[in-house]
Structures are given as structure tokens and as C-alpha cells.
């Protein structure tokens, strides 16, 4: 059989620890035998970030902008302990943060569903994708502990010196105070990314805030989304047969629980933080959560939502076999390959990605799985817990 050809390189961002081990095995077992893999390789492993003084991360993000599609392995975000462990000259920033800052994107997270690992919410039949706005609000707030009686005011001093004042509260005793902000520019990018991702995946888009209470702040989010939808996306949504739907956050929560799934739920920063943990836990396992960063100008970076699985890596270093789940990392590759196939008009590449995804799901549904899933298993076939490599070989056989 001839290998499937690619025309544009995929930006490949290698990473750290157990996921770096899986990365190589996934390529050897499931990709290279079938695809003439054309990638532009960036090693985002911590030693190479140290050697290049993190320039490699910036280069990788620029390449993502140039070619449009990247696949990324999980990477260590250094803390004090990692600085010692890897003998670092600096506590390098989170690669994901650096990439997000350069691409200016929104992260979409969706679970991989398999029969036998059932959502806690029994009517959820399709994945729910959470799109979290990752800028501003409470994460960039200024806070103040009010010591005693006094007046708190919002003061805005315009560039020309004009002051606008508004009383927040006349404190009669001690309390707390907080100042939040967001930017039209950031909200607009968030909205573009959400509309584009809905179109790219053919799913309805829901957006929720608390605009009845927050008549200026949250209302601005609602207006920006509505304005952009009317001006730039409505026709394309209608053509695709998908819907943009705005509702209050409390109404959205109730509807999400009653829903069958199969849509994107765009959330403000704090709502997305809380709701993504709730939704992902209710779907099953972190090891089955996919993640894609979509930039407002249409670049994509696919990855797994989990980290480098350090605890398993230390076992691996001692020569022990591990049963680490490679699903989310495989799906990062298939997501990126399918997108490359779509953009370059290579239907064989896209079809291969879909077949590989099906082989993965079928393997688990047949009862062969890694330890994390064996603990959650409720399927008909008895669960057989295998090592990561055995799992990849079982997928390959099925493929
Ligand atoms: P983690 O790597 O996600 O692992 C936390 C625990 O979750 C593991 O110990 C394991 O539980 C379970 N787990 C996660 N993925 C799994 C998989 N694929 N298969 C089986 N079990 C899995 O989070 P962490 O230990 O907090 O972070 C480790 C490193 O990853 C840190 O250096 C952090 O900076 C980095 N990180 C990177 C990213 C990213 O690049 N996107 C995201 C998060 C964290 P058991 O040990 O109980 O089996
Ligand atoms: Mg959180």
C-alpha cells in the first residue's frame, strides 16, 4: 500500500516526560507506517527550551501562524522544583501561555466518548465542547480589603484628563472591594474564534452571561457577539444549518443538563473555568479530554488537555511498564491531520484520521484499555487492562 502523501507541513511540537514517550510511540505505531508524515519539528521539551532560552517556543508559535495547523505534546510548566530538577537558568513561562499570547486564541475542550465509560448525566449522547474566554475579569482584577467606614468609587480618567466617577458603596464598616475589566478587542477575538469553530465543526454555538444583572459589563459581551454574528456569520450559519443561541448563564446550566450534547458552550473566563471542570468530570476522565486552540484568524493548535503525567514517567524511568492513556494525544494528531487534509484538499488524509479515531474507540469498546479507564468501565465486554504500548498495538491491529 502506498503511504498517504501530505502537501503542507504540520507544525509538530514535541514535549516532556511520559507524553514525550507516548508521542514517539504513537508516530511509530500508528502514523509513520501509513502516512508520508511531513512535519516541521519543534522540540518544546524543557532541555531544548533551556538551551534556546525559550526561543524554540516562539519559533513554533510563529510556524503555527505560517502554516495554520499544529499538533502539540504536553509540556512541563516550570516551577521552583523543576528549576532544580532540570538545572534551569530561568523559570521559563508556560509554553501554552506563550503560544496563546502569539496566536491570540480561544481553547475548545471536548471529551472523547466511548460506550462503557458513560457520562454521569445519562441523556448526554454527544460531546459538549466548552470554549473558555481566557482573558481578564476576575483573573486580572484588583482587590482591596476595606478596613472600615468610607466611600468606594469607580474613577475613570480618560486620556485627555476628564474624570468620570461613580459611587460603588458607602461603607459603614469593613468589607471587600474588587475592580474587574475586559477589552472589546479580546471579547471580539473570542467571539470570532467561537463562530469559526462552530462553522468548522458544524455544531450549534451557545453563549451565556449574566447580562440582566451586569447591564454594562456582561451586556457588552452579549452585544459584541450579537453584532459580529449579524454582520459576518449569520449567512454562513444558516447555510450550514447551525444555530447561534444566547441565553442567561443560569438558564444555560439548566439546558445543558437536560440536553443531549453535541454543541459548543462559550463561557466567560470564570464560568468556563468552573463549567469545564464540571463537564469534563461528568464525562469521565481527563485522559479522554481533547483540546484545540483556535485563533481569530483561523489557525489551529491541537493537544491533549492533560499534562505530562509525571507520576507515570518516574515509574517508566525505573524500567516499569506503565498503562498511560494515549487517547487524547492520538486525537490531537488526528484532529490536526484531518484539518490539514481539509485545508489542503487531501480527502485520504482526513479519512485516515477518522479511521484511526474509530479504531481507538472500537479498541476500548472491545474491552481493551489503559488502567485509568478500567477503573471506570461499565461496558459489556470484560475490561482487559494493558500497557500503553500494548494498547497502541491493539489499535494498530484494528486499524
Ligand atoms: P497530569 O500530567 O495531567 O497528571 C495528573 C494525574 O492525572 C496523573 O498522575 C494521572 O493520575 C492522571 N492522568 C493524566 N493524564 C493521564 C493519562 N493520559 N493516562 C492516565 N492517567 C492520566 O497533571 P500534573 O501531574 O498536575 O502535571 C504534570 C506536568 O504536566 C506538570 O509539569 C505541568 O506543568 C504539566 N502540564 C502541562 C499541560 C500542557 O502542556 N497542556 C497541562 C497540564 C499540566 P494517576 O497518577 O492517579 O494515574
Ligand atoms: Mg480550573
Amino acid at each position: 500500500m502506498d503511504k498517504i502523501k501530505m502537501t503542507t507541513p504540520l507544525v509538530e511540537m514535541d514535549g516532556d516526560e511520559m507524553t514525550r514517550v507516548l508521542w514517539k510511540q504513537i508516530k511509530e505505531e500508528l502514523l509513520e507506517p501509513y502516512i508520508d508524515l511531513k512535519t516541521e519539528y519543534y522540540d518544546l521539551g524543557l532541555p531544548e527550551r533551556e538551551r534556546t532560552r525559550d526561543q524554540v517556543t516562539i519559533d513554533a508559535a510563529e510556524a503555527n501562524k505560517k502554516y495554520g495547523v499544529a499538533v502539540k505534546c504536553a509540556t512541563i510548566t516550570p516551577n521552583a522544583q523543576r528549576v532544580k530538577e532540570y538545572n534551569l537558568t530561568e523559570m521559563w513561562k508556560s509554553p501554552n501561555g506563550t503560544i496563546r499570547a502569539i496566536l491570540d486564541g480561544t481553547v475548545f475542550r471536548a471529551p472523547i466518548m466511548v460506550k462503557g465509560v458513560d457520562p454521569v448525566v445519562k441523556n448526554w449522547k454527544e460531546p459538549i465542547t466548552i470554549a473558555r474566554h481566557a482573558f481578564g475579569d476576575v483573573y486580572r482584577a484588583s482587590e482591596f480589603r476595606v478596613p472600615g467606614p468610607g466611600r468606594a468609587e469607580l474613577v475613570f480618567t480618560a486620556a485627555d484628563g476628564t474624570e468620570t466617577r461613580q459611587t460603588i458603596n458607602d461603607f459603614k464598616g469593613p468589607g471587600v472591594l474588587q475592580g474587574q475589566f475586559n477589552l472589546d478587542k479580546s471579547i471580539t477575538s473570542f467571539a470570532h474564534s467561537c463562530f469559526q469553530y462552530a462553522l468548522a465543526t458544524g455544531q450549534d454555538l451557545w453563549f451565556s452571561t449574566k447580562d440582566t444583572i451586569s447591564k454594562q459589563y456582561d451586556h457588552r459581551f452579549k452585544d459584541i457577539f450579537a453584532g459580529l454574528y449579524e454582520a459576518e456569520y449569520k449567512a454562513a450559519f444558516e447555510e450550514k444549518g447551525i444555530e447561534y443561541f444566547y441565553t442567561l448563564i443560569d438558564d444555560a446550566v439548566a439546558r445543558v443538563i437536560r440536553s443531549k450534547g453535541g454543541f459548543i458552550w462559550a463561557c466567560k473566563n470564570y464560568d468556563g473555568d468552573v463549567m469545564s471542570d464540571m463537564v469534563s468530570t461528568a464525562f469521565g476522565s481527563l485522559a479522554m479530554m481533547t483540546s484545540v486552540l483556535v485563533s481569530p484568524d483561523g489557525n489551529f493548535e491541537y493537544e491533549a488537555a492533560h499534562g505530562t503525567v509525571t507520576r507515570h514517567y518516574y515509574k517508566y524511568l525505573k524500567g516499569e511498564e506503565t498503562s498511560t492513556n494515549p487517547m487524547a494525544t492520538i486525537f490531537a494528531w488526528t484532529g490536526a491531520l484531518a484539518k490539514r487534509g481539509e485545508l489542503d484538499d487531501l480527502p485520504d488524509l482526513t479519512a485516515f484520521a477518522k479511521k484511526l479515531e474509530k479504531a481507538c474507540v472500537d479498541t476500548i469498546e472491545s474491552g481493551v484499555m489503559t488502567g485509568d479507564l478500567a477503573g471506570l468501565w461499565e461496558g459489556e465486554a470484560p475490561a482487559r487492562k494493558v500497557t500503553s504500548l500494548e494498547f497502541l498495538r491493539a489499535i494498530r491491529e484494528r486499524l
Side-chain angles (χ1 to χ4, degrees):
M1 199 184 81
D2 281 348
K3 288 191 191 182
I4 298 165
K5 297 272 185 301
M6 295 175 65
T7 48
T8 315
L10 188 60
V11 179
E12 174 183 354
M13 306 181 187
D14 207 345
D16 290 297
E17 298 195 313
M18 203 59 220
T19 39
R20 187 182 181 95
V21 175
L22 293 176
W23 193 261
K24 186 162 176 280
Q25 292 176 345
I26 290 167
K27 285 173 67 179
E28 285 172 1
E29 294 291 328
L30 298 177
L31 303 174
E32 284 162 353
Y34 310 103
I35 305 173
D36 221 347
L37 258 193
K38 189 168 176 163
T39 73
E40 194 164 293
Y41 180 86
Y42 293 87
D43 185 358
L44 266 50
L46 195 44
E48 187 62 10
R49 277 183 274 151
E50 166 69 20
R51 196 188 68 80
T52 62
R53 304 196 59 73
D54 211 22
Q55 186 59 39
V56 65
T57 309
I58 295 162
D59 294 345
E62 292 297 343
N64 196 160
K65 264 186 149 169
K66 177 175 169 194
Y67 294 113
V69 188
V71 56
K72 180 181 169 290
C73 180
T75 47
I76 292 169
T77 297
N79 55 16
Q81 183 254 320
R82 298 296 198 169
V83 169
K84 256 196 209 150
E85 182 183 354
Y86 282 83
N87 225 340
L88 304 179
T89 52
E90 246 179 73
M91 200 184 287
W92 305 111
K93 284 193 236 160
S94 149
N96 287 50
T98 303
I99 295 166
R100 201 179 304 148
I102 292 173
L103 292 183
D104 179 26
T106 299
V107 174
F108 296 81
R109 293 202 158 171
I112 304 159
M113 294 183 71
V114 294
K115 286 193 207 82
V117 182
D118 299 321
V120 176
V121 181
K122 62 179 186 300
N123 44 288
W124 287 357
K125 301 296 178 210
E126 300 286 333
I128 294 169
T129 302
I130 298 262
R132 172 183 170 190
H133 183 212
F135 178 81
D137 303 349
V138 72
Y139 302 86
R140 295 283 293 268
S142 308
E143 297 194 320
F144 186 72
R145 170 95 187 268
V146 176
R151 170 171 298 178
E153 292 176 296
L154 269 182
V155 182
F156 174 73
T157 313
D160 68 0
T162 327
E163 266 188 16
T164 317
R165 275 171 189 270
Q166 205 176 313
T167 302
I168 299 168
N169 191 39
D170 280 315
F171 283 86
K172 304 279 183 285
V176 283
L177 196 58
Q178 184 181 66
Q180 291 189 26
F181 75 97
N182 221 302
L183 306 174
D184 281 12
K185 183 170 178 283
S186 176
I187 302 165
T188 303
S189 307
F190 173 49
H192 274 300
S193 298
C194 291
F195 288 127
Q196 295 204 0
Y197 194 67
L199 285 172
T201 59
Q203 298 181 88
D204 289 348
L205 175 66
W206 297 16
F207 181 44
S208 56
T209 72
K210 193 70 181 172
D211 68 285
T212 46
I213 300 300
S214 174
K215 290 185 185 348
Q216 296 290 337
Y217 199 113
D218 279 17
H219 213 283
R220 187 73 195 132
F221 280 77
K222 179 183 176 181
D223 285 347
I224 286 176
F225 268 71
L228 218 52
Y229 178 68
E230 287 298 325
E232 296 186 34
Y233 292 100
K234 196 170 182 212
F237 267 56
E238 283 171 0
E239 196 178 313
K240 264 240 141 129
I242 59 174
E243 196 190 0
Y244 169 60
F245 169 65
Y246 176 85
T247 188
L248 285 171
I249 178 84
D250 37 356
D251 180 51
V253 167
R255 284 172 187 263
V256 164
I257 296 296
R258 287 197 308 264
S259 77
K260 291 194 169 65
F263 55 88
I264 301 159
W265 183 12
C267 292
K268 284 181 63 202
N269 209 349
Y270 174 81
D271 300 342
D273 186 354
V274 176
M275 290 305 155
S276 69
D277 275 8
M278 188 201 67
V279 168
S280 65
T281 306
F283 268 107
S285 158
L286 188 62
M288 298 287 277
M289 189 59 65
T290 65
S291 184
V292 56
L293 175 71
V294 181
S295 81
D297 45 1
N299 298 307
F300 295 78
E301 182 241 310
Y302 292 83
E303 63 175 332
H306 60 76
T308 59
V309 212
T310 311
R311 212 178 62 85
H312 294 212
Y313 183 59
Y314 291 156
K315 277 192 181 172
Y316 168 86
L317 287 181
K318 280 192 252 162
E320 290 175 40
E321 287 282 359
T322 75
S323 185
T324 316
N325 190 341
M327 286 287 284
T329 305
I330 298 172
F331 275 60
W333 275 100
T334 54
L337 290 168
K339 178 55 75 181
R340 199 63 277 165
E342 192 188 309
L343 295 175
D344 295 347
D345 198 18
L346 301 170
D348 286 354
L349 189 61
T350 306
F352 172 81
K354 296 295 155 202
K355 282 179 196 163
L356 177 51
E357 289 181 357
K358 183 165 175 2
C360 290
V361 169
D362 288 351
T363 300
I364 296 174
E365 289 182 350
S366 78
V368 178
M369 66 198 75
T370 46
D372 56 311
L373 294 184
L376 302 168
W377 185 247
E378 290 181 301
E380 279 167 24
R384 186 156 71 84
K385 179 186 157 182
V386 294
T387 66
S388 303
L389 196 56
E390 285 169 339
F391 182 64
L392 292 175
R393 294 204 167 130
I395 295 168
R396 180 170 177 177
E397 205 166 294
R398 200 165 273 273
L399 182 67

